[in-house]
Amino acid sequence: MFRNFKMVSQVVFGRGCFNQLDEILSFQRVKSSSFVVFLVDHVFENSEFKSRIPAHDQDMIIWADTDDEPKTSYVDKLVEKVKSFSSDLPAGVVGIGGGSAMDLAKAVSLMLANPGSAADYQGWDLIKKPAVWHAAVPTLSGTGAEVSRTTVLTGPQKKLGINSDYTVFDQIVLDPELIAGVPKEQWFYTGMDCYIHCVESLQGTFLNAFSQSYGEKSMDLCREVFLQDPSDSADKLMMASYFGGMSIAYSQVGICHALSYGLSFVLGLHHGIGNSVAFDYLEEYYPEGVREFRQMMEKHEIMLPRNLVSGLSDEKLEKMIDVALVLSPLWENALGKDWAEIMTRDKIRQLYQRM
Ligand code: NAD
Ligand code: ZN
């Protein structure tokens, strides 16, 4: 069976296009009482950008705490907050921020329409009812969360996405001006998420012409952005993120992402930095990619944290391995059907112990 996958329905791109958000939302406000929920990264709470959010009197702005990456318990809390704000469902949920705020917006829009806790839906195609209309405005580029069919959540037992057709955004607003002010390290780590998506997709066994076409273009854009500093770097990184996300939509990520999920679950390391930490030890599997990644690090004077795992208890290390091993599609993409014979618990332990 071939996957018949859902894509984002509407995309607006260009410097300043954020100014069109109010008009875009007017099509969702079918009643005079219709309200919109803006889920905005809390980094903007005291910024000039705040006054540009097109919130009407009846709307709700939630400043999303992204210090920790999204948890199912936090999603449940936000859903309760929206439900106690109004007995009607909102006309739309708009996520403004990086991968974390975008994923929270996806999850809240799904859980407003489906009963229970977000943790009940971590997995593939468990969501039964369409989400509330939802849109994303990225302010940080690289994760591809703006185009993917998943919202990555840490639950009580696992870090796993809610993967479904209903997860996909109905609208995305890609305004490169909004990613201009990101601090350099964050810009680099989230950008490397995109670069690693490309490496893992292009070297994976699931590769096909669809994924390859998007992956190669995204890789070219990443090389320009991180090795040549073009004047339209923000525009290019924004499109690299989009294409990188599209590339993995029809294939998969690989070893680096599997290991990074374990680092994140046990150490709370954020996705971009966790990927970078793990990728630096994967020369055996992705030799060219790792070499180029190191050139990018050198050019931007990035120092990765080291010795994160050496002092960890056995129990935590084993949990880290469990979290990584659950992600069998990622391992299979990287190493083929017989991956479990190659990537044993011992091998994963050895890799982690070097980090
Ligand atoms: P993030 O959203 O976690 O944000 C990182 C930091 O950057 C935060 O402190 C935030 O406040 C700050 N920030 C965001 N925009 C800013 C701006 N314009 N200026 C200054 N600071 C800004 O980082 P991320 O790397 O974009 O996202 C990581 C999250 O995305 C993880 O939770 C990861 O699991 C998820 N993810 C999701 C997918 C998907 O397909 N759904 C794919 C990859 C990663
Ligand atoms: Zn990623």
CSV table of all heavy atoms in Angstrom, one decimal, residues 41-44 64 66-70 96-103 106 138-153 159 167 178-183 186 189-191 193 197 248 257 261 264 270-273 275, ligand 1:
chain,number,residue,atom,x,y,z
A,41,ASP,N,4.6,31.6,21.4
A,41,ASP,CA,5.8,31.3,22.2
A,41,ASP,C,6.0,32.5,23.2
A,41,ASP,O,5.9,33.6,22.9
A,41,ASP,CB,7.0,31.2,21.3
A,41,ASP,CG,8.2,30.6,22.1
A,41,ASP,OD1,8.6,31.2,23.1
A,41,ASP,OD2,8.7,29.6,21.7
A,42,HIS,N,6.2,32.1,24.5
A,42,HIS,CA,6.3,33.1,25.5
A,42,HIS,C,7.4,34.1,25.4
A,42,HIS,O,7.5,35.1,26.0
A,42,HIS,CB,6.3,32.5,26.9
A,42,HIS,CG,7.5,31.6,27.2
A,42,HIS,ND1,7.8,31.1,28.5
A,42,HIS,CD2,8.5,31.2,26.4
A,42,HIS,CE1,8.9,30.4,28.4
A,42,HIS,NE2,9.3,30.4,27.2
A,43,VAL,N,8.4,33.7,24.5
A,43,VAL,CA,9.5,34.7,24.2
A,43,VAL,C,9.0,36.0,23.7
A,43,VAL,O,9.7,37.0,23.8
A,43,VAL,CB,10.5,34.0,23.2
A,43,VAL,CG1,10.1,34.0,21.8
A,43,VAL,CG2,11.9,34.6,23.4
A,44,PHE,N,7.8,36.0,23.1
A,44,PHE,CA,7.3,37.3,22.5
A,44,PHE,C,6.4,38.1,23.5
A,44,PHE,O,5.8,39.1,23.1
A,44,PHE,CB,6.5,36.9,21.2
A,44,PHE,CG,7.3,36.3,20.2
A,44,PHE,CD1,7.1,35.0,19.8
A,44,PHE,CD2,8.3,37.0,19.6
A,44,PHE,CE1,7.9,34.4,18.8
A,44,PHE,CE2,9.1,36.5,18.6
A,44,PHE,CZ,8.9,35.2,18.2
A,64,ALA,N,2.7,30.4,25.3
A,64,ALA,CA,3.1,29.0,25.5
A,64,ALA,C,4.5,28.9,26.1
A,64,ALA,O,5.4,29.5,25.6
A,64,ALA,CB,3.0,28.3,24.1
A,66,THR,N,7.7,27.3,26.5
A,66,THR,CA,8.5,26.3,25.6
A,66,THR,C,9.8,26.0,26.3
A,66,THR,O,10.7,25.5,25.6
A,66,THR,CB,8.7,26.9,24.2
A,66,THR,OG1,9.4,28.2,24.3
A,66,THR,CG2,7.4,27.0,23.5
A,67,ASP,N,10.0,26.3,27.6
A,67,ASP,CA,11.2,26.0,28.3
A,67,ASP,C,11.4,24.5,28.2
A,67,ASP,O,12.6,24.0,28.0
A,67,ASP,CB,11.2,26.4,29.7
A,67,ASP,CG,11.2,28.0,29.8
A,67,ASP,OD1,11.5,28.6,28.8
A,67,ASP,OD2,10.9,28.5,30.9
A,68,ASP,N,10.4,23.7,28.4
A,68,ASP,CA,10.4,22.2,28.2
A,68,ASP,C,9.7,22.0,26.8
A,68,ASP,O,8.8,22.7,26.5
A,68,ASP,CB,9.7,21.5,29.3
A,68,ASP,CG,10.4,21.5,30.6
A,68,ASP,OD1,11.6,21.6,30.6
A,68,ASP,OD2,9.7,21.5,31.6
A,69,GLU,N,10.1,21.0,26.1
A,69,GLU,CA,9.4,20.6,24.9
A,69,GLU,C,8.0,20.1,25.3
A,69,GLU,O,7.8,19.6,26.4
A,69,GLU,CB,10.3,19.6,24.1
A,69,GLU,CG,11.5,20.3,23.6
A,69,GLU,CD,12.3,19.5,22.6
A,69,GLU,OE1,12.1,18.3,22.5
A,69,GLU,OE2,13.1,20.1,21.8
A,70,PRO,N,7.1,20.2,24.3
A,70,PRO,CA,5.7,19.9,24.7
A,70,PRO,C,5.5,18.5,25.3
A,70,PRO,O,6.0,17.5,24.8
A,70,PRO,CB,5.0,19.9,23.3
A,70,PRO,CG,5.8,20.9,22.5
A,70,PRO,CD,7.3,20.7,23.0
A,96,ILE,N,2.1,30.3,17.0
A,96,ILE,CA,3.2,31.2,16.5
A,96,ILE,C,4.4,30.9,17.3
A,96,ILE,O,4.5,31.1,18.6
A,96,ILE,CB,2.7,32.7,16.7
A,96,ILE,CG1,1.4,32.9,16.0
A,96,ILE,CG2,3.8,33.6,16.2
A,96,ILE,CD1,0.9,34.4,16.2
A,97,GLY,N,5.5,30.5,16.7
A,97,GLY,CA,6.7,30.2,17.4
A,97,GLY,C,7.5,29.1,16.6
A,97,GLY,O,7.4,28.9,15.4
A,98,GLY,N,8.4,28.4,17.3
A,98,GLY,CA,9.2,27.4,16.7
A,98,GLY,C,8.4,26.1,16.7
A,98,GLY,O,7.2,26.0,16.9
A,99,GLY,N,9.2,25.0,16.6
A,99,GLY,CA,8.6,23.6,16.5
A,99,GLY,C,7.7,23.4,17.8
A,99,GLY,O,6.6,22.8,17.7
A,100,SER,N,8.1,23.9,18.9
A,100,SER,CA,7.3,23.6,20.1
A,100,SER,C,6.0,24.3,20.1
A,100,SER,O,4.9,23.6,20.4
A,100,SER,CB,8.1,24.1,21.4
A,100,SER,OG,9.3,23.4,21.5
A,101,ALA,N,5.9,25.6,19.8
A,101,ALA,CA,4.6,26.3,19.8
A,101,ALA,C,3.8,25.7,18.6
A,101,ALA,O,2.5,25.6,18.8
A,101,ALA,CB,4.8,27.8,19.6
A,102,MET,N,4.4,25.4,17.5
A,102,MET,CA,3.6,24.8,16.4
A,102,MET,C,3.0,23.5,16.8
A,102,MET,O,1.8,23.2,16.5
A,102,MET,CB,4.4,24.7,15.1
A,102,MET,CG,4.8,26.1,14.5
A,102,MET,SD,5.5,25.9,12.9
A,102,MET,CE,7.2,25.7,13.2
A,103,ASP,N,3.8,22.6,17.4
A,103,ASP,CA,3.3,21.3,17.8
A,103,ASP,C,2.2,21.5,18.9
A,103,ASP,O,1.2,20.7,18.9
A,103,ASP,CB,4.4,20.4,18.4
A,103,ASP,CG,5.2,19.7,17.2
A,103,ASP,OD1,4.8,19.9,16.1
A,103,ASP,OD2,6.1,19.0,17.5
A,106,LYS,N,-1.0,22.3,17.1
A,106,LYS,CA,-1.5,21.1,16.5
A,106,LYS,C,-2.2,20.2,17.5
A,106,LYS,O,-3.4,19.8,17.3
A,106,LYS,CB,-0.4,20.2,15.8
A,106,LYS,CG,0.2,20.8,14.6
A,106,LYS,CD,1.4,19.9,14.2
A,106,LYS,CE,1.9,20.1,12.8
A,106,LYS,NZ,3.0,19.3,12.5
A,138,PRO,N,5.6,30.1,11.7
A,138,PRO,CA,7.0,29.8,12.2
A,138,PRO,C,7.8,31.0,12.5
A,138,PRO,O,7.8,32.0,11.7
A,138,PRO,CB,7.7,28.9,11.2
A,138,PRO,CG,6.7,28.7,10.1
A,138,PRO,CD,5.5,29.6,10.3
A,139,THR,N,8.4,31.0,13.7
A,139,THR,CA,9.4,32.2,14.0
A,139,THR,C,10.8,31.6,14.1
A,139,THR,O,11.7,32.3,14.6
A,139,THR,CB,9.0,32.9,15.3
A,139,THR,OG1,9.1,31.9,16.4
A,139,THR,CG2,7.5,33.4,15.3
A,140,LEU,N,10.9,30.3,13.8
A,140,LEU,CA,12.2,29.6,13.9
A,140,LEU,C,12.1,28.5,12.8
A,140,LEU,O,11.0,27.9,12.7
A,140,LEU,CB,12.3,29.0,15.3
A,140,LEU,CG,13.5,28.4,15.8
A,140,LEU,CD1,14.7,29.3,15.7
A,140,LEU,CD2,13.3,28.0,17.3
A,141,SER,N,13.2,28.3,12.0
A,141,SER,CA,13.0,27.4,10.9
A,141,SER,C,14.0,26.2,11.0
A,141,SER,O,15.1,26.3,11.4
A,141,SER,CB,13.3,28.1,9.6
A,141,SER,OG,12.2,28.8,9.2
A,142,GLY,N,13.4,25.0,10.7
A,142,GLY,CA,14.3,23.9,10.6
A,142,GLY,C,13.6,22.6,10.9
A,142,GLY,O,13.8,21.5,10.3
A,143,THR,N,12.6,22.6,11.8
A,143,THR,CA,12.0,21.3,12.3
A,143,THR,C,11.1,20.7,11.2
A,143,THR,O,10.9,19.5,11.1
A,143,THR,CB,11.1,21.5,13.5
A,143,THR,OG1,10.0,22.4,13.1
A,143,THR,CG2,11.9,22.1,14.7
A,144,GLY,N,10.5,21.6,10.3
A,144,GLY,CA,9.6,21.1,9.3
A,144,GLY,C,8.2,20.8,10.0
A,144,GLY,O,7.3,20.3,9.3
A,145,ALA,N,8.0,21.2,11.2
A,145,ALA,CA,6.8,21.0,11.9
A,145,ALA,C,5.6,21.7,11.2
A,145,ALA,O,4.5,21.3,11.3
A,145,ALA,CB,6.8,21.5,13.4
A,146,GLU,N,6.0,22.7,10.4
A,146,GLU,CA,4.9,23.5,9.7
A,146,GLU,C,4.3,22.6,8.6
A,146,GLU,O,3.2,22.9,8.2
A,146,GLU,CB,5.5,24.8,9.1
A,146,GLU,CG,6.6,24.7,8.1
A,146,GLU,CD,8.0,24.5,8.7
A,146,GLU,OE1,8.1,24.0,9.9
A,146,GLU,OE2,9.0,24.7,8.0
A,147,VAL,N,5.0,21.6,8.1
A,147,VAL,CA,4.4,20.7,7.1
A,147,VAL,C,4.1,19.3,7.5
A,147,VAL,O,3.5,18.5,6.7
A,147,VAL,CB,5.3,20.7,5.8
A,147,VAL,CG1,5.3,22.0,5.1
A,147,VAL,CG2,6.7,20.2,6.1
A,148,SER,N,4.6,18.9,8.6
A,148,SER,CA,4.5,17.4,8.9
A,148,SER,C,3.1,17.0,9.4
A,148,SER,O,2.3,17.8,9.8
A,148,SER,CB,5.6,17.1,9.9
A,148,SER,OG,5.2,17.6,11.2
A,149,ARG,N,2.9,15.7,9.4
A,149,ARG,CA,1.6,15.1,9.9
A,149,ARG,C,1.8,14.6,11.3
A,149,ARG,O,1.0,13.7,11.8
A,149,ARG,CB,1.1,14.1,9.0
A,149,ARG,CG,1.7,12.7,9.0
A,149,ARG,CD,1.3,11.8,7.9
A,149,ARG,NE,-0.1,11.3,8.0
A,149,ARG,CZ,-0.5,10.3,8.7
A,149,ARG,NH1,0.3,9.7,9.5
A,149,ARG,NH2,-1.7,9.8,8.6
A,150,THR,N,2.7,15.2,12.1
A,150,THR,CA,2.9,14.8,13.5
A,150,THR,C,3.0,16.0,14.4
A,150,THR,O,3.4,17.1,14.0
A,150,THR,CB,4.1,13.8,13.6
A,150,THR,OG1,4.1,13.3,14.9
A,150,THR,CG2,5.4,14.6,13.3
A,151,THR,N,2.6,15.8,15.7
A,151,THR,CA,3.0,16.7,16.7
A,151,THR,C,3.7,15.9,17.8
A,151,THR,O,3.2,14.9,18.4
A,151,THR,CB,1.7,17.4,17.3
A,151,THR,OG1,2.1,17.9,18.6
A,151,THR,CG2,0.5,16.5,17.5
A,152,VAL,N,5.0,16.2,18.0
A,152,VAL,CA,5.9,15.4,18.8
A,152,VAL,C,5.6,15.8,20.3
A,152,VAL,O,5.8,16.9,20.7
A,152,VAL,CB,7.3,15.6,18.5
A,152,VAL,CG1,8.2,14.7,19.3
A,152,VAL,CG2,7.6,15.4,17.0
A,153,LEU,N,5.2,14.8,21.1
A,153,LEU,CA,4.9,15.0,22.5
A,153,LEU,C,5.6,14.0,23.4
A,153,LEU,O,5.8,12.8,23.1
A,153,LEU,CB,3.4,14.9,22.7
A,153,LEU,CG,2.5,15.8,21.9
A,153,LEU,CD1,1.0,15.4,22.2
A,153,LEU,CD2,2.7,17.2,22.2
A,159,LYS,N,8.3,9.4,24.3
A,159,LYS,CA,8.3,10.6,23.5
A,159,LYS,C,7.9,10.1,22.1
A,159,LYS,O,8.6,9.3,21.4
A,159,LYS,CB,9.7,11.2,23.4
A,159,LYS,CG,9.7,12.5,22.5
A,159,LYS,CD,11.0,13.3,22.6
A,159,LYS,CE,10.9,14.4,21.5
A,159,LYS,NZ,12.1,15.2,21.4
A,167,THR,N,-3.7,16.0,11.9
A,167,THR,CA,-2.6,16.8,12.6
A,167,THR,C,-2.1,17.9,11.6
A,167,THR,O,-1.7,19.0,12.1
A,167,THR,CB,-1.4,15.9,13.0
A,167,THR,OG1,-1.9,14.8,13.7
A,167,THR,CG2,-0.4,16.7,13.8
A,178,LEU,N,10.2,37.1,10.3
A,178,LEU,CA,9.9,36.7,11.7
A,178,LEU,C,11.0,35.8,12.2
A,178,LEU,O,11.1,35.7,13.4
A,178,LEU,CB,8.6,35.9,11.8
A,178,LEU,CG,7.3,36.7,11.3
A,178,LEU,CD1,6.1,35.9,11.6
A,178,LEU,CD2,7.2,38.1,12.0
A,179,ILE,N,11.9,35.2,11.4
A,179,ILE,CA,12.9,34.4,11.9
A,179,ILE,C,14.3,35.1,12.0
A,179,ILE,O,15.3,34.5,12.4
A,179,ILE,CB,13.1,33.1,11.2
A,179,ILE,CG1,13.6,33.3,9.7
A,179,ILE,CG2,11.8,32.3,11.1
A,179,ILE,CD1,14.0,32.0,9.0
A,180,ALA,N,14.2,36.4,11.7
A,180,ALA,CA,15.5,37.2,11.7
A,180,ALA,C,16.1,37.4,13.1
A,180,ALA,O,17.4,37.4,13.2
A,180,ALA,CB,15.2,38.5,11.1
A,181,GLY,N,15.3,37.4,14.1
A,181,GLY,CA,15.9,37.8,15.4
A,181,GLY,C,16.3,36.6,16.3
A,181,GLY,O,16.6,36.8,17.5
A,182,VAL,N,16.3,35.4,15.8
A,182,VAL,CA,16.6,34.2,16.6
A,182,VAL,C,18.1,34.3,17.0
A,182,VAL,O,19.0,34.5,16.2
A,182,VAL,CB,16.3,33.0,15.8
A,182,VAL,CG1,16.6,31.7,16.6
A,182,VAL,CG2,14.9,32.9,15.3
A,183,PRO,N,18.4,34.0,18.3
A,183,PRO,CA,19.8,33.9,18.8
A,183,PRO,C,20.6,32.9,18.0
A,183,PRO,O,20.0,31.8,17.6
A,183,PRO,CB,19.7,33.5,20.2
A,183,PRO,CG,18.3,33.8,20.6
A,183,PRO,CD,17.4,33.7,19.4
A,186,GLN,N,20.5,29.0,18.8
A,186,GLN,CA,19.2,28.4,18.5
A,186,GLN,C,19.0,28.2,17.0
A,186,GLN,O,18.5,27.2,16.5
A,186,GLN,CB,18.1,29.2,19.1
A,186,GLN,CG,16.7,28.6,19.1
A,186,GLN,CD,16.7,27.2,19.9
A,186,GLN,OE1,17.0,27.2,21.0
A,186,GLN,NE2,16.4,26.2,19.2
A,189,TYR,N,21.1,25.3,15.8
A,189,TYR,CA,20.7,23.9,16.2
A,189,TYR,C,19.4,23.5,15.5
A,189,TYR,O,19.2,22.4,15.0
A,189,TYR,CB,20.5,23.8,17.7
A,189,TYR,CG,21.8,23.8,18.5
A,189,TYR,CD1,22.0,24.7,19.6
A,189,TYR,CD2,22.8,23.0,18.1
A,189,TYR,CE1,23.2,24.7,20.3
A,189,TYR,CE2,24.0,23.0,18.8
A,189,TYR,CZ,24.2,23.8,19.9
A,189,TYR,OH,25.4,23.8,20.6
A,190,THR,N,18.4,24.5,15.4
A,190,THR,CA,17.2,24.2,14.7
A,190,THR,C,17.4,24.0,13.2
A,190,THR,O,16.9,23.1,12.6
A,190,THR,CB,16.1,25.2,15.0
A,190,THR,OG1,15.9,25.3,16.4
A,190,THR,CG2,14.8,24.9,14.4
A,191,GLY,N,18.4,24.8,12.7
A,191,GLY,CA,18.8,24.6,11.3
A,191,GLY,C,19.4,23.2,11.0
A,191,GLY,O,19.2,22.6,10.0
A,193,ASP,N,18.7,20.6,12.6
A,193,ASP,CA,17.6,19.6,12.5
A,193,ASP,C,17.2,19.4,11.1
A,193,ASP,O,17.1,18.2,10.6
A,193,ASP,CB,16.4,20.1,13.4
A,193,ASP,CG,15.3,19.1,13.5
A,193,ASP,OD1,15.6,17.9,13.4
A,193,ASP,OD2,14.1,19.5,13.8
A,197,HIS,N,17.6,16.0,8.8
A,197,HIS,CA,16.5,15.4,8.1
A,197,HIS,C,16.9,15.0,6.7
A,197,HIS,O,16.6,13.9,6.2
A,197,HIS,CB,15.3,16.4,8.0
A,197,HIS,CG,14.6,16.7,9.3
A,197,HIS,ND1,13.8,17.8,9.6
A,197,HIS,CD2,14.6,16.0,10.5
A,197,HIS,CE1,13.3,17.7,10.8
A,197,HIS,NE2,13.8,16.7,11.4
A,248,ILE,N,10.9,14.1,4.5
A,248,ILE,CA,10.7,13.0,5.4
A,248,ILE,C,9.3,12.5,5.5
A,248,ILE,O,9.0,11.4,5.9
A,248,ILE,CB,11.3,13.2,6.8
A,248,ILE,CG1,10.9,14.6,7.3
A,248,ILE,CG2,12.7,13.0,6.9
A,248,ILE,CD1,11.3,14.9,8.8
A,257,HIS,N,18.0,10.8,14.8
A,257,HIS,CA,16.7,11.1,15.5
A,257,HIS,C,16.3,10.1,16.6
A,257,HIS,O,15.8,10.5,17.6
A,257,HIS,CB,15.6,11.3,14.4
A,257,HIS,CG,15.6,12.7,13.9
A,257,HIS,ND1,16.5,13.2,13.0
A,257,HIS,CD2,14.7,13.7,14.2
A,257,HIS,CE1,16.2,14.4,12.7
A,257,HIS,NE2,15.1,14.8,13.4
A,261,TYR,N,15.9,11.3,20.5
A,261,TYR,CA,14.7,11.1,21.3
A,261,TYR,C,15.0,10.6,22.7
A,261,TYR,O,14.4,11.0,23.6
A,261,TYR,CB,13.7,10.2,20.6
A,261,TYR,CG,12.7,10.9,19.6
A,261,TYR,CD1,13.2,11.8,18.7
A,261,TYR,CD2,11.4,10.5,19.5
A,261,TYR,CE1,12.4,12.5,17.8
A,261,TYR,CE2,10.5,11.2,18.6
A,261,TYR,CZ,11.0,12.1,17.8
A,261,TYR,OH,10.2,12.8,16.9
A,264,SER,N,16.5,13.3,24.7
A,264,SER,CA,15.5,14.3,25.1
A,264,SER,C,14.6,13.7,26.2
A,264,SER,O,14.3,14.5,27.2
A,264,SER,CB,14.7,14.6,23.9
A,264,SER,OG,13.5,15.1,24.2
A,270,HIS,N,16.8,19.6,24.3
A,270,HIS,CA,15.9,20.0,23.2
A,270,HIS,C,16.3,19.3,21.9
A,270,HIS,O,17.5,18.9,21.7
A,270,HIS,CB,15.9,21.5,23.0
A,270,HIS,CG,15.0,22.2,24.1
A,270,HIS,ND1,14.1,23.2,23.8
A,270,HIS,CD2,14.8,21.9,25.4
A,270,HIS,CE1,13.5,23.5,24.9
A,270,HIS,NE2,13.9,22.8,25.9
A,271,HIS,N,15.3,19.2,21.0
A,271,HIS,CA,15.5,18.4,19.8
A,271,HIS,C,16.7,18.8,18.9
A,271,HIS,O,17.5,18.0,18.5
A,271,HIS,CB,14.2,18.6,18.9
A,271,HIS,CG,14.1,17.7,17.7
A,271,HIS,ND1,14.0,16.3,17.8
A,271,HIS,CD2,14.2,18.0,16.4
A,271,HIS,CE1,14.0,15.8,16.6
A,271,HIS,NE2,14.1,16.8,15.7
A,272,GLY,N,16.8,20.1,18.6
A,272,GLY,CA,17.9,20.5,17.7
A,272,GLY,C,19.3,20.3,18.3
A,272,GLY,O,20.2,19.7,17.6
A,273,ILE,N,19.5,20.6,19.6
A,273,ILE,CA,20.8,20.4,20.2
A,273,ILE,C,21.0,18.9,20.4
A,273,ILE,O,22.1,18.4,20.2
A,273,ILE,CB,20.9,21.2,21.5
A,273,ILE,CG1,22.3,21.2,22.0
A,273,ILE,CG2,20.0,20.8,22.6
A,273,ILE,CD1,22.6,22.3,23.0
A,275,ASN,N,19.9,16.5,18.5
A,275,ASN,CA,20.3,15.9,17.2
A,275,ASN,C,21.8,16.2,17.0
A,275,ASN,O,22.5,15.4,16.5
A,275,ASN,CB,19.5,16.6,16.1
A,275,ASN,CG,18.2,15.9,15.9
A,275,ASN,OD1,17.9,14.9,16.5
A,275,ASN,ND2,17.3,16.5,15.1
B,1,NAD,P1,11.5,25.6,20.0
B,1,NAD,O1,10.2,25.8,19.4
B,1,NAD,O2,11.6,24.6,21.1
B,1,NAD,O3,12.2,26.9,20.5
B,1,NAD,C1,13.5,27.0,21.0
B,1,NAD,C2,13.7,28.3,21.7
B,1,NAD,O4,13.7,29.4,20.7
B,1,NAD,C3,12.6,28.7,22.7
B,1,NAD,O5,13.2,29.2,23.9
B,1,NAD,C4,11.8,29.8,22.0
B,1,NAD,O6,11.2,30.6,23.0
B,1,NAD,C5,12.8,30.4,21.2
B,1,NAD,N1,12.4,31.2,20.0
B,1,NAD,C6,11.5,30.7,19.0
B,1,NAD,N2,11.4,31.7,18.1
B,1,NAD,C7,12.2,32.7,18.4
B,1,NAD,C8,12.5,34.0,17.8
B,1,NAD,N3,11.9,34.3,16.6
B,1,NAD,N4,13.3,34.8,18.4
B,1,NAD,C9,13.9,34.4,19.6
B,1,NAD,N5,13.7,33.2,20.2
B,1,NAD,C10,12.8,32.4,19.6
B,1,NAD,O7,12.6,25.1,18.9
B,1,NAD,P2,12.5,24.3,17.6
B,1,NAD,O8,13.9,23.7,17.4
B,1,NAD,O9,11.9,25.1,16.5
B,1,NAD,O10,11.5,23.1,17.9
B,1,NAD,C11,11.8,22.0,18.7
B,1,NAD,C12,10.5,21.2,18.9
B,1,NAD,O11,10.0,20.8,17.6
B,1,NAD,C13,10.7,20.0,19.7
B,1,NAD,O12,9.7,19.9,20.6
B,1,NAD,C14,10.6,18.9,18.7
B,1,NAD,O13,10.2,17.7,19.2
B,1,NAD,C15,9.7,19.5,17.7
B,1,NAD,N6,9.7,18.9,16.3
B,1,NAD,C16,8.6,18.6,15.7
B,1,NAD,C17,8.6,18.1,14.4
B,1,NAD,C18,7.3,17.8,13.8
B,1,NAD,O14,7.3,17.3,12.6
B,1,NAD,N7,6.2,18.1,14.4
B,1,NAD,C19,9.8,17.9,13.8
B,1,NAD,C20,11.0,18.1,14.5
B,1,NAD,C21,10.9,18.7,15.7
